Amino acid sequence: MSKGGILKGETKQSVKKRHSLISTKSEYEDEGAQPHEKAIAAGQPNPPYCVRNIEQNAFGRREIEIAEQEMPGIMALRARAKDDKPLKDAKIVGCTHINAQTAVLIETLAALGATVRWAACNIYSTQNEVAAALAHAGYAIFAWRGESEEAFWWCIDQCCTPTATWQPNMILDDGGDATHLMLKKHGAAFKNIKGIVEESVTGVHRLYQLSKAGKLCVPAMNVNDSVTKTKFDNLYSCRESIIDALKRSTDLMFGGKQSVVCGYGEVGKGCCQALKALGCVVYVTEIDPICALQAAMDGFRVVKLNEVIRQVDIVITATGNKGVVTREHMERMKNGCVVCNMGHSNTEIDVYALKTPDLLWERVRSQVDHIIWPNGKRIVLLAEGRLANLCCSSLPSFVVSVTAATQALALIELYNAPNQRYKRWTRDQSRRDPETREADVYLLPKKMDEYVASLHLPTFDAHLTELTDEQAKYLGLNKVGPFKPNYYRY
Ligand SMILES: NC(=O)c1ccc[n+]([C@@H]2O[C@H](COP(=O)([O-])OP(=O)(O)OC[C@H]3O[C@@H](n4cnc5c(N)ncnc54)[C@H](O)[C@@H]3O)[C@@H](O)[C@H]2O)c1
């Protein structure tokens, strides 16, 4: 390829045409029609499940069995609670990433008595073979890797729409899309929901906004801020999977490379630790002085993105914000700079601004695009700015076991709690009592967080020290917990 991305024998017009084809087409669109279109064309507007290829189910089942081995906590919960069936008659709408680990959660919820209908919260993160295995086992799964935007909403709607046999009463959401679709489109059915469990920072933020506007009316559990979830999913998991994602997609060597991580929250901290451990020079950008000071104390240079953008080899966003890396930044990046996002949504890197006729997009591998400038400079964009670790690698199952056990316990708690424990606010009530409006978004009781952790300790043959009566009295604690006040930061 020559400078400017022109192939031998091409005219400027044919380059433009090639560019428009590459830039508007995702690789998955080549896999044929979207499965739901096939179902609709076959006269099945509401199929019992919709996946890419049900024939892949045996392969998917093996993946699920492998995940079960590394998910001791959720398997222990399944074994302990399967006779009590604490989720008997629960009808759960699920909208999360669909992979082998989620399958272990789904099958646990079913073992505890729930019926589920499940869609993906991300168009690229579904493991098709796992979706096939679940569908083959009789679960109502609506998801495939490479869903179109329209298919994405169709899949979620298949789960939310009430029918004669399906009246959902719980939502397990990751990002808030199922909650919002149900609230907007199926308002009457939404009122029958007993509780919402939300996993992501972004989804929790949307819940608080709904709550403030007096529109939530259903108690919601913010599991993102459960200690077990936050530390393990955001910090420890990203610490391992960022490297995996970058290596698998780019074969990059990290030692001596310069990298910048935008956002020094839990995810950013995990990324920075991993990069530093492999010998990277790591810069951090932050808007919050407390997190910036933490970064400085941990030995990272805190900079504005503009100060280092010309020299860095790797740019990672982990802010949960939008427009963090702009076209202007990308104009100034050096040739070969790898750009990826670890935050929930694909708006952190302004990918849209790269879809202009002067730039050539070249798909070099699955989830890896080279964006080529007229002067031949190219940047390496992973997963079109979507969550790099989920799109380019897999998550450590053990960490997902912690999250899954937390989600399952939150569902059990909301589903079984007496009416008064988690309040349902009406629009009028929330108007009258603005100070307490946010009371409908709750945190998981600390004791349950501790229970989730304890379910995972036997894996390490870890032996907890028990408080003596005297020590418990001295600290003013119950001998069986909770061991820390709610405000304690781990
Ligand atoms: N990739 C994954 O597997 C994974 C796992 C968990 C969470 N997430 C997602 O990652 C994102 C971050 O999660 P978190 O738990 O670290 O959140 P967090 O709130 O702890 O951290 C985000 C940090 O970004 C900073 N920030 C915001 N805007 C910024 C900007 N313009 N420039 C620089 N810094 C900025 C904030 O001050 C904050 O410290 C969220 O979108 C979350 O949903 C991803």
Side-chain angles (χ1 to χ4, degrees), residues 200-202 229-230 233-234 238 241 262-268 285-288 291 318-321 324 342-345 348 387 389-390 395:
S200 76
V201 172
T202 310
K229 198 272 172 189
T230 314
D233 197 32
N234 302 24
C238 291
S241 57
C262 303
Y264 200 68
E266 299 290 348
V267 174
T285 72
E286 250 303 340
I287 52 159
D288 176 342
C291 297
T319 67
N321 202 342
V324 176
M342 289 289 281
H344 180 82
S345 90
E348 299 214 17
L387 287 151
N389 57 338
L390 292 179
L395 294 182

PDB file of all heavy atoms in Angstrom, residues 200-202 229-230 233-234 238 241 262-268 285-288 291 318-321 324 342-345 348 387 389-390 395, ligand 1:
ATOM      1  N   SER A 200     -23.805  -1.900  36.026  1.00  0.00           N
ATOM      2  CA  SER A 200     -22.731  -1.008  35.556  1.00  0.00           C
ATOM      3  C   SER A 200     -22.824   0.402  36.141  1.00  0.00           C
ATOM      4  O   SER A 200     -23.877   0.850  36.573  1.00  0.00           O
ATOM      5  CB  SER A 200     -22.783  -0.899  34.031  1.00  0.00           C
ATOM      6  OG  SER A 200     -23.844  -0.051  33.670  1.00  0.00           O
ATOM      7  N   VAL A 201     -21.687   1.093  36.093  1.00  0.00           N
ATOM      8  CA  VAL A 201     -21.628   2.494  36.524  1.00  0.00           C
ATOM      9  C   VAL A 201     -22.644   3.308  35.722  1.00  0.00           C
ATOM     10  O   VAL A 201     -23.429   4.078  36.268  1.00  0.00           O
ATOM     11  CB  VAL A 201     -20.214   3.084  36.236  1.00  0.00           C
ATOM     12  CG1 VAL A 201     -20.189   4.576  36.483  1.00  0.00           C
ATOM     13  CG2 VAL A 201     -19.154   2.402  37.036  1.00  0.00           C
ATOM     14  N   THR A 202     -22.609   3.080  34.407  1.00  0.00           N
ATOM     15  CA  THR A 202     -23.474   3.850  33.513  1.00  0.00           C
ATOM     16  C   THR A 202     -24.950   3.603  33.843  1.00  0.00           C
ATOM     17  O   THR A 202     -25.744   4.544  33.935  1.00  0.00           O
ATOM     18  CB  THR A 202     -23.188   3.427  32.050  1.00  0.00           C
ATOM     19  OG1 THR A 202     -21.776   3.489  31.868  1.00  0.00           O
ATOM     20  CG2 THR A 202     -23.874   4.324  31.057  1.00  0.00           C
ATOM     21  N   LYS A 229     -18.256  -6.356  44.008  1.00  0.00           N
ATOM     22  CA  LYS A 229     -18.350  -6.133  42.566  1.00  0.00           C
ATOM     23  C   LYS A 229     -17.308  -5.101  42.119  1.00  0.00           C
ATOM     24  O   LYS A 229     -16.531  -5.328  41.196  1.00  0.00           O
ATOM     25  CB  LYS A 229     -19.768  -5.659  42.236  1.00  0.00           C
ATOM     26  CG  LYS A 229     -20.134  -5.793  40.774  1.00  0.00           C
ATOM     27  CD  LYS A 229     -19.747  -4.587  39.987  1.00  0.00           C
ATOM     28  CE  LYS A 229     -19.932  -4.772  38.511  1.00  0.00           C
ATOM     29  NZ  LYS A 229     -19.369  -3.682  37.729  1.00  0.00           N
ATOM     30  N   THR A 230     -17.287  -3.968  42.815  1.00  0.00           N
ATOM     31  CA  THR A 230     -16.421  -2.875  42.367  1.00  0.00           C
ATOM     32  C   THR A 230     -14.957  -3.290  42.350  1.00  0.00           C
ATOM     33  O   THR A 230     -14.249  -3.068  41.377  1.00  0.00           O
ATOM     34  CB  THR A 230     -16.571  -1.652  43.292  1.00  0.00           C
ATOM     35  OG1 THR A 230     -17.952  -1.451  43.491  1.00  0.00           O
ATOM     36  CG2 THR A 230     -15.958  -0.422  42.721  1.00  0.00           C
ATOM     37  N   ASP A 233     -14.610  -6.869  39.892  1.00  0.00           N
ATOM     38  CA  ASP A 233     -14.956  -6.749  38.473  1.00  0.00           C
ATOM     39  C   ASP A 233     -14.217  -5.582  37.832  1.00  0.00           C
ATOM     40  O   ASP A 233     -13.645  -5.711  36.747  1.00  0.00           O
ATOM     41  CB  ASP A 233     -16.470  -6.541  38.343  1.00  0.00           C
ATOM     42  CG  ASP A 233     -16.952  -6.828  36.945  1.00  0.00           C
ATOM     43  OD1 ASP A 233     -16.358  -7.698  36.305  1.00  0.00           O
ATOM     44  OD2 ASP A 233     -17.916  -6.189  36.501  1.00  0.00           O
ATOM     45  N   ASN A 234     -14.246  -4.445  38.481  1.00  0.00           N
ATOM     46  CA  ASN A 234     -13.661  -3.263  37.859  1.00  0.00           C
ATOM     47  C   ASN A 234     -12.140  -3.249  37.997  1.00  0.00           C
ATOM     48  O   ASN A 234     -11.429  -2.988  37.045  1.00  0.00           O
ATOM     49  CB  ASN A 234     -14.234  -1.980  38.466  1.00  0.00           C
ATOM     50  CG  ASN A 234     -15.748  -1.906  38.333  1.00  0.00           C
ATOM     51  OD1 ASN A 234     -16.418  -2.922  38.207  1.00  0.00           O
ATOM     52  ND2 ASN A 234     -16.289  -0.713  38.374  1.00  0.00           N
ATOM     53  N   CYS A 238     -10.102  -6.053  35.307  1.00  0.00           N
ATOM     54  CA  CYS A 238      -9.520  -5.232  34.243  1.00  0.00           C
ATOM     55  C   CYS A 238      -7.999  -5.269  34.300  1.00  0.00           C
ATOM     56  O   CYS A 238      -7.328  -5.169  33.277  1.00  0.00           O
ATOM     57  CB  CYS A 238     -10.030  -3.792  34.330  1.00  0.00           C
ATOM     58  SG  CYS A 238     -11.768  -3.700  33.904  1.00  0.00           S
ATOM     59  N   SER A 241      -7.438  -8.376  32.252  1.00  0.00           N
ATOM     60  CA  SER A 241      -7.965  -8.511  30.893  1.00  0.00           C
ATOM     61  C   SER A 241      -7.497  -7.412  29.943  1.00  0.00           C
ATOM     62  O   SER A 241      -7.516  -7.616  28.726  1.00  0.00           O
ATOM     63  CB  SER A 241      -9.491  -8.599  30.917  1.00  0.00           C
ATOM     64  OG  SER A 241     -10.047  -7.491  31.539  1.00  0.00           O
ATOM     65  N   CYS A 262      -6.790   7.183  30.610  1.00  0.00           N
ATOM     66  CA  CYS A 262      -7.690   8.296  30.943  1.00  0.00           C
ATOM     67  C   CYS A 262      -8.685   7.814  31.985  1.00  0.00           C
ATOM     68  O   CYS A 262      -9.484   6.917  31.703  1.00  0.00           O
ATOM     69  CB  CYS A 262      -8.424   8.776  29.703  1.00  0.00           C
ATOM     70  SG  CYS A 262      -7.316   9.278  28.389  1.00  0.00           S
ATOM     71  N   GLY A 263      -8.616   8.384  33.162  1.00  0.00           N
ATOM     72  CA  GLY A 263      -9.501   7.985  34.263  1.00  0.00           C
ATOM     73  C   GLY A 263      -8.747   7.079  35.226  1.00  0.00           C
ATOM     74  O   GLY A 263      -8.230   6.039  34.821  1.00  0.00           O
ATOM     75  N   TYR A 264      -8.664   7.505  36.484  1.00  0.00           N
ATOM     76  CA  TYR A 264      -7.985   6.684  37.499  1.00  0.00           C
ATOM     77  C   TYR A 264      -9.004   6.253  38.552  1.00  0.00           C
ATOM     78  O   TYR A 264      -8.838   6.434  39.738  1.00  0.00           O
ATOM     79  CB  TYR A 264      -6.822   7.472  38.125  1.00  0.00           C
ATOM     80  CG  TYR A 264      -5.795   6.590  38.805  1.00  0.00           C
ATOM     81  CD1 TYR A 264      -4.978   5.740  38.059  1.00  0.00           C
ATOM     82  CD2 TYR A 264      -5.645   6.610  40.186  1.00  0.00           C
ATOM     83  CE1 TYR A 264      -4.037   4.928  38.678  1.00  0.00           C
ATOM     84  CE2 TYR A 264      -4.702   5.804  40.813  1.00  0.00           C
ATOM     85  CZ  TYR A 264      -3.905   4.965  40.051  1.00  0.00           C
ATOM     86  OH  TYR A 264      -2.963   4.161  40.659  1.00  0.00           O
ATOM     87  N   GLY A 265     -10.133   5.713  38.050  1.00  0.00           N
ATOM     88  CA  GLY A 265     -11.099   5.076  38.946  1.00  0.00           C
ATOM     89  C   GLY A 265     -10.674   3.633  39.124  1.00  0.00           C
ATOM     90  O   GLY A 265      -9.498   3.294  38.952  1.00  0.00           O
ATOM     91  N   GLU A 266     -11.636   2.759  39.400  1.00  0.00           N
ATOM     92  CA  GLU A 266     -11.288   1.351  39.646  1.00  0.00           C
ATOM     93  C   GLU A 266     -10.702   0.703  38.389  1.00  0.00           C
ATOM     94  O   GLU A 266      -9.693   0.008  38.449  1.00  0.00           O
ATOM     95  CB  GLU A 266     -12.528   0.579  40.097  1.00  0.00           C
ATOM     96  CG  GLU A 266     -13.165   1.078  41.388  1.00  0.00           C
ATOM     97  CD  GLU A 266     -12.319   0.798  42.617  1.00  0.00           C
ATOM     98  OE1 GLU A 266     -11.359   0.031  42.535  1.00  0.00           O
ATOM     99  OE2 GLU A 266     -12.637   1.379  43.672  1.00  0.00           O
ATOM    100  N   VAL A 267     -11.357   0.923  37.241  1.00  0.00           N
ATOM    101  CA  VAL A 267     -10.886   0.301  35.998  1.00  0.00           C
ATOM    102  C   VAL A 267      -9.519   0.868  35.618  1.00  0.00           C
ATOM    103  O   VAL A 267      -8.585   0.122  35.288  1.00  0.00           O
ATOM    104  CB  VAL A 267     -11.914   0.523  34.864  1.00  0.00           C
ATOM    105  CG1 VAL A 267     -11.383   0.019  33.532  1.00  0.00           C
ATOM    106  CG2 VAL A 267     -13.239  -0.156  35.202  1.00  0.00           C
ATOM    107  N   GLY A 268      -9.401   2.183  35.670  1.00  0.00           N
ATOM    108  CA  GLY A 268      -8.139   2.832  35.320  1.00  0.00           C
ATOM    109  C   GLY A 268      -7.004   2.354  36.222  1.00  0.00           C
ATOM    110  O   GLY A 268      -5.884   2.097  35.758  1.00  0.00           O
ATOM    111  N   THR A 285      -4.633  10.594  33.072  1.00  0.00           N
ATOM    112  CA  THR A 285      -5.380  11.854  33.053  1.00  0.00           C
ATOM    113  C   THR A 285      -6.565  11.717  34.005  1.00  0.00           C
ATOM    114  O   THR A 285      -7.139  10.636  34.128  1.00  0.00           O
ATOM    115  CB  THR A 285      -5.904  12.239  31.649  1.00  0.00           C
ATOM    116  OG1 THR A 285      -6.975  11.358  31.292  1.00  0.00           O
ATOM    117  CG2 THR A 285      -4.816  12.165  30.607  1.00  0.00           C
ATOM    118  N   GLU A 286      -6.892  12.750  34.692  1.00  0.00           N
ATOM    119  CA  GLU A 286      -8.004  12.736  35.668  1.00  0.00           C
ATOM    120  C   GLU A 286      -8.655  14.100  35.750  1.00  0.00           C
ATOM    121  O   GLU A 286      -8.018  15.119  35.508  1.00  0.00           O
ATOM    122  CB  GLU A 286      -7.510  12.343  37.070  1.00  0.00           C
ATOM    123  CG  GLU A 286      -7.968  10.975  37.571  1.00  0.00           C
ATOM    124  CD  GLU A 286      -9.479  10.753  37.621  1.00  0.00           C
ATOM    125  OE1 GLU A 286     -10.232  11.734  37.641  1.00  0.00           O
ATOM    126  OE2 GLU A 286      -9.921   9.597  37.636  1.00  0.00           O
ATOM    127  N   ILE A 287      -9.936  14.119  36.115  1.00  0.00           N
ATOM    128  CA  ILE A 287     -10.625  15.384  36.381  1.00  0.00           C
ATOM    129  C   ILE A 287     -10.800  15.583  37.881  1.00  0.00           C
ATOM    130  O   ILE A 287     -11.033  16.690  38.349  1.00  0.00           O
ATOM    131  CB  ILE A 287     -12.027  15.399  35.730  1.00  0.00           C
ATOM    132  CG1 ILE A 287     -12.831  14.159  36.132  1.00  0.00           C
ATOM    133  CG2 ILE A 287     -11.942  15.529  34.231  1.00  0.00           C
ATOM    134  CD1 ILE A 287     -14.311  14.323  35.985  1.00  0.00           C
ATOM    135  N   ASP A 288     -10.660  14.490  38.636  1.00  0.00           N
ATOM    136  CA  ASP A 288     -10.953  14.519  40.068  1.00  0.00           C
ATOM    137  C   ASP A 288      -9.638  14.611  40.848  1.00  0.00           C
ATOM    138  O   ASP A 288      -8.767  13.732  40.716  1.00  0.00           O
ATOM    139  CB  ASP A 288     -11.713  13.228  40.425  1.00  0.00           C
ATOM    140  CG  ASP A 288     -12.002  13.089  41.914  1.00  0.00           C
ATOM    141  OD1 ASP A 288     -11.351  13.786  42.728  1.00  0.00           O
ATOM    142  OD2 ASP A 288     -12.852  12.265  42.257  1.00  0.00           O
ATOM    143  N   CYS A 291      -8.589  11.407  42.879  1.00  0.00           N
ATOM    144  CA  CYS A 291      -8.059  10.301  42.074  1.00  0.00           C
ATOM    145  C   CYS A 291      -6.713  10.687  41.462  1.00  0.00           C
ATOM    146  O   CYS A 291      -5.811   9.848  41.346  1.00  0.00           O
ATOM    147  CB  CYS A 291      -9.051   9.915  40.982  1.00  0.00           C
ATOM    148  SG  CYS A 291     -10.597   9.308  41.651  1.00  0.00           S
ATOM    149  N   ALA A 318     -10.921   4.979  30.316  1.00  0.00           N
ATOM    150  CA  ALA A 318     -11.622   4.224  31.372  1.00  0.00           C
ATOM    151  C   ALA A 318     -12.346   5.201  32.281  1.00  0.00           C
ATOM    152  O   ALA A 318     -12.221   5.175  33.502  1.00  0.00           O
ATOM    153  CB  ALA A 318     -10.622   3.405  32.178  1.00  0.00           C
ATOM    154  N   THR A 319     -13.120   6.107  31.666  1.00  0.00           N
ATOM    155  CA  THR A 319     -13.724   7.185  32.453  1.00  0.00           C
ATOM    156  C   THR A 319     -15.230   7.023  32.661  1.00  0.00           C
ATOM    157  O   THR A 319     -15.789   7.637  33.570  1.00  0.00           O
ATOM    158  CB  THR A 319     -13.531   8.552  31.751  1.00  0.00           C
ATOM    159  OG1 THR A 319     -14.297   8.545  30.547  1.00  0.00           O
ATOM    160  CG2 THR A 319     -12.081   8.827  31.440  1.00  0.00           C
ATOM    161  N   GLY A 320     -15.915   6.282  31.789  1.00  0.00           N
ATOM    162  CA  GLY A 320     -17.383   6.268  31.829  1.00  0.00           C
ATOM    163  C   GLY A 320     -17.948   7.564  31.264  1.00  0.00           C
ATOM    164  O   GLY A 320     -19.148   7.804  31.346  1.00  0.00           O
ATOM    165  N   ASN A 321     -17.103   8.378  30.673  1.00  0.00           N
ATOM    166  CA  ASN A 321     -17.509   9.684  30.154  1.00  0.00           C
ATOM    167  C   ASN A 321     -17.544   9.641  28.620  1.00  0.00           C
ATOM    168  O   ASN A 321     -17.334   8.597  28.035  1.00  0.00           O
ATOM    169  CB  ASN A 321     -16.504  10.735  30.652  1.00  0.00           C
ATOM    170  CG  ASN A 321     -17.082  12.130  30.653  1.00  0.00           C
ATOM    171  OD1 ASN A 321     -18.082  12.402  29.999  1.00  0.00           O
ATOM    172  ND2 ASN A 321     -16.441  13.020  31.379  1.00  0.00           N
ATOM    173  N   VAL A 324     -13.695  11.773  25.326  1.00  0.00           N
ATOM    174  CA  VAL A 324     -12.429  11.921  26.063  1.00  0.00           C
ATOM    175  C   VAL A 324     -11.259  11.958  25.077  1.00  0.00           C
ATOM    176  O   VAL A 324     -10.335  12.763  25.214  1.00  0.00           O
ATOM    177  CB  VAL A 324     -12.277  10.766  27.086  1.00  0.00           C
ATOM    178  CG1 VAL A 324     -10.937  10.834  27.803  1.00  0.00           C
ATOM    179  CG2 VAL A 324     -13.434  10.805  28.088  1.00  0.00           C
ATOM    180  N   MET A 342     -11.938   1.020  27.702  1.00  0.00           N
ATOM    181  CA  MET A 342     -12.338   0.033  28.713  1.00  0.00           C
ATOM    182  C   MET A 342     -13.615   0.463  29.424  1.00  0.00           C
ATOM    183  O   MET A 342     -14.109  -0.222  30.303  1.00  0.00           O
ATOM    184  CB  MET A 342     -11.221  -0.140  29.752  1.00  0.00           C
ATOM    185  CG  MET A 342     -10.005  -0.849  29.231  1.00  0.00           C
ATOM    186  SD  MET A 342     -10.301  -2.604  28.945  1.00  0.00           S
ATOM    187  CE  MET A 342     -10.184  -3.232  30.624  1.00  0.00           C
ATOM    188  N   GLY A 343     -14.146   1.635  29.086  1.00  0.00           N
ATOM    189  CA  GLY A 343     -15.370   2.121  29.724  1.00  0.00           C
ATOM    190  C   GLY A 343     -16.601   1.500  29.096  1.00  0.00           C
ATOM    191  O   GLY A 343     -16.516   0.866  28.035  1.00  0.00           O
ATOM    192  N   HIS A 344     -17.728   1.706  29.735  1.00  0.00           N
ATOM    193  CA  HIS A 344     -18.935   0.991  29.310  1.00  0.00           C
ATOM    194  C   HIS A 344     -19.386   1.333  27.892  1.00  0.00           C
ATOM    195  O   HIS A 344     -19.780   0.479  27.121  1.00  0.00           O
ATOM    196  CB  HIS A 344     -20.089   1.268  30.288  1.00  0.00           C
ATOM    197  CG  HIS A 344     -21.342   0.551  29.891  1.00  0.00           C
ATOM    198  ND1 HIS A 344     -21.558  -0.764  30.208  1.00  0.00           N
ATOM    199  CD2 HIS A 344     -22.409   0.945  29.166  1.00  0.00           C
ATOM    200  CE1 HIS A 344     -22.720  -1.140  29.708  1.00  0.00           C
ATOM    201  NE2 HIS A 344     -23.263  -0.122  29.081  1.00  0.00           N
ATOM    202  N   SER A 345     -19.333   2.615  27.557  1.00  0.00           N
ATOM    203  CA  SER A 345     -19.948   2.952  26.271  1.00  0.00           C
ATOM    204  C   SER A 345     -18.902   3.368  25.250  1.00  0.00           C
ATOM    205  O   SER A 345     -17.776   3.746  25.591  1.00  0.00           O
ATOM    206  CB  SER A 345     -21.012   4.020  26.457  1.00  0.00           C
ATOM    207  OG  SER A 345     -20.423   5.272  26.334  1.00  0.00           O
ATOM    208  N   GLU A 348     -16.466   7.171  24.525  1.00  0.00           N
ATOM    209  CA  GLU A 348     -15.273   7.768  25.149  1.00  0.00           C
ATOM    210  C   GLU A 348     -14.266   8.202  24.086  1.00  0.00           C
ATOM    211  O   GLU A 348     -13.644   9.249  24.177  1.00  0.00           O
ATOM    212  CB  GLU A 348     -14.609   6.775  26.116  1.00  0.00           C
ATOM    213  CG  GLU A 348     -15.517   6.369  27.252  1.00  0.00           C
ATOM    214  CD  GLU A 348     -14.790   6.111  28.554  1.00  0.00           C
ATOM    215  OE1 GLU A 348     -13.642   6.524  28.723  1.00  0.00           O
ATOM    216  OE2 GLU A 348     -15.416   5.491  29.428  1.00  0.00           O
ATOM    217  N   LEU A 387     -15.892  -1.706  24.575  1.00  0.00           N
ATOM    218  CA  LEU A 387     -15.101  -2.323  25.640  1.00  0.00           C
ATOM    219  C   LEU A 387     -14.057  -3.310  25.100  1.00  0.00           C
ATOM    220  O   LEU A 387     -14.412  -4.400  24.632  1.00  0.00           O
ATOM    221  CB  LEU A 387     -16.034  -3.096  26.569  1.00  0.00           C
ATOM    222  CG  LEU A 387     -16.908  -2.270  27.482  1.00  0.00           C
ATOM    223  CD1 LEU A 387     -18.183  -2.998  27.779  1.00  0.00           C
ATOM    224  CD2 LEU A 387     -16.160  -1.959  28.747  1.00  0.00           C
ATOM    225  N   ASN A 389     -11.706  -5.179  26.484  1.00  0.00           N
ATOM    226  CA  ASN A 389     -11.479  -6.497  27.100  1.00  0.00           C
ATOM    227  C   ASN A 389     -12.630  -7.453  26.800  1.00  0.00           C
ATOM    228  O   ASN A 389     -12.413  -8.643  26.593  1.00  0.00           O
ATOM    229  CB  ASN A 389     -11.224  -6.384  28.603  1.00  0.00           C
ATOM    230  CG  ASN A 389     -12.339  -5.704  29.353  1.00  0.00           C
ATOM    231  OD1 ASN A 389     -13.122  -4.950  28.768  1.00  0.00           O
ATOM    232  ND2 ASN A 389     -12.439  -5.956  30.631  1.00  0.00           N
ATOM    233  N   LEU A 390     -13.834  -6.939  26.724  1.00  0.00           N
ATOM    234  CA  LEU A 390     -14.953  -7.838  26.459  1.00  0.00           C
ATOM    235  C   LEU A 390     -14.992  -8.252  24.991  1.00  0.00           C
ATOM    236  O   LEU A 390     -15.406  -9.352  24.667  1.00  0.00           O
ATOM    237  CB  LEU A 390     -16.272  -7.182  26.847  1.00  0.00           C
ATOM    238  CG  LEU A 390     -16.429  -6.987  28.347  1.00  0.00           C
ATOM    239  CD1 LEU A 390     -17.744  -6.316  28.657  1.00  0.00           C
ATOM    240  CD2 LEU A 390     -16.359  -8.319  29.071  1.00  0.00           C
ATOM    241  N   LEU A 395     -13.129 -12.571  30.009  1.00  0.00           N
ATOM    242  CA  LEU A 395     -12.897 -12.130  31.383  1.00  0.00           C
ATOM    243  C   LEU A 395     -12.482 -13.322  32.235  1.00  0.00           C
ATOM    244  O   LEU A 395     -12.911 -14.442  31.976  1.00  0.00           O
ATOM    245  CB  LEU A 395     -14.183 -11.547  31.965  1.00  0.00           C
ATOM    246  CG  LEU A 395     -14.682 -10.265  31.335  1.00  0.00           C
ATOM    247  CD1 LEU A 395     -15.932  -9.780  32.049  1.00  0.00           C
ATOM    248  CD2 LEU A 395     -13.608  -9.192  31.399  1.00  0.00           C
TER     249      LEU A 395
HETATM  250  N1  LIG B   1     -14.046  -3.092  30.832  1.00  0.00           N
HETATM  251  C1  LIG B   1     -14.637  -3.677  31.855  1.00  0.00           C
HETATM  252  O1  LIG B   1     -14.599  -4.888  32.033  1.00  0.00           O
HETATM  253  C2  LIG B   1     -15.329  -2.814  32.860  1.00  0.00           C
HETATM  254  C3  LIG B   1     -15.569  -3.297  34.156  1.00  0.00           C
HETATM  255  C4  LIG B   1     -16.204  -2.468  35.052  1.00  0.00           C
HETATM  256  C5  LIG B   1     -16.606  -1.186  34.678  1.00  0.00           C
HETATM  257  N2  LIG B   1     -16.377  -0.761  33.396  1.00  0.00           N
HETATM  258  C6  LIG B   1     -16.736   0.586  32.922  1.00  0.00           C
HETATM  259  O2  LIG B   1     -15.559   1.411  32.983  1.00  0.00           O
HETATM  260  C7  LIG B   1     -15.925   2.768  33.248  1.00  0.00           C
HETATM  261  C8  LIG B   1     -15.166   3.258  34.488  1.00  0.00           C
HETATM  262  O3  LIG B   1     -15.543   2.477  35.611  1.00  0.00           O
HETATM  263  P1  LIG B   1     -14.891   2.769  37.047  1.00  0.00           P
HETATM  264  O4  LIG B   1     -15.457   1.780  37.989  1.00  0.00           O
HETATM  265  O5  LIG B   1     -13.419   2.896  36.924  1.00  0.00           O
HETATM  266  O6  LIG B   1     -15.537   4.194  37.336  1.00  0.00           O
HETATM  267  P2  LIG B   1     -14.967   5.338  38.306  1.00  0.00           P
HETATM  268  O7  LIG B   1     -16.034   6.343  38.440  1.00  0.00           O
HETATM  269  O8  LIG B   1     -14.367   4.705  39.522  1.00  0.00           O
HETATM  270  O9  LIG B   1     -13.741   5.948  37.466  1.00  0.00           O
HETATM  271  C9  LIG B   1     -13.862   6.788  36.363  1.00  0.00           C
HETATM  272  C10 LIG B   1     -12.836   7.899  36.558  1.00  0.00           C
HETATM  273  O10 LIG B   1     -12.766   8.675  35.370  1.00  0.00           O
HETATM  274  C11 LIG B   1     -12.593  10.027  35.744  1.00  0.00           C
HETATM  275  N3  LIG B   1     -13.002  10.870  34.617  1.00  0.00           N
HETATM  276  C12 LIG B   1     -14.259  11.226  34.226  1.00  0.00           C
HETATM  277  N4  LIG B   1     -14.203  11.998  33.126  1.00  0.00           N
HETATM  278  C13 LIG B   1     -12.895  12.118  32.812  1.00  0.00           C
HETATM  279  C14 LIG B   1     -12.194  12.773  31.764  1.00  0.00           C
HETATM  280  N5  LIG B   1     -12.827  13.495  30.829  1.00  0.00           N
HETATM  281  N6  LIG B   1     -10.840  12.682  31.733  1.00  0.00           N
HETATM  282  C15 LIG B   1     -10.176  11.974  32.680  1.00  0.00           C
HETATM  283  N7  LIG B   1     -10.785  11.334  33.698  1.00  0.00           N
HETATM  284  C16 LIG B   1     -12.127  11.390  33.755  1.00  0.00           C
HETATM  285  C17 LIG B   1     -13.437  10.177  36.996  1.00  0.00           C
HETATM  286  O11 LIG B   1     -13.035  11.259  37.799  1.00  0.00           O
HETATM  287  C18 LIG B   1     -13.212   8.846  37.694  1.00  0.00           C
HETATM  288  O12 LIG B   1     -12.166   8.899  38.638  1.00  0.00           O
HETATM  289  C19 LIG B   1     -17.443   2.756  33.395  1.00  0.00           C
HETATM  290  O13 LIG B   1     -18.046   3.114  32.180  1.00  0.00           O
HETATM  291  C20 LIG B   1     -17.773   1.306  33.730  1.00  0.00           C
HETATM  292  O14 LIG B   1     -19.084   0.945  33.353  1.00  0.00           O
HETATM  293  C21 LIG B   1     -15.727  -1.538  32.494  1.00  0.00           C
END
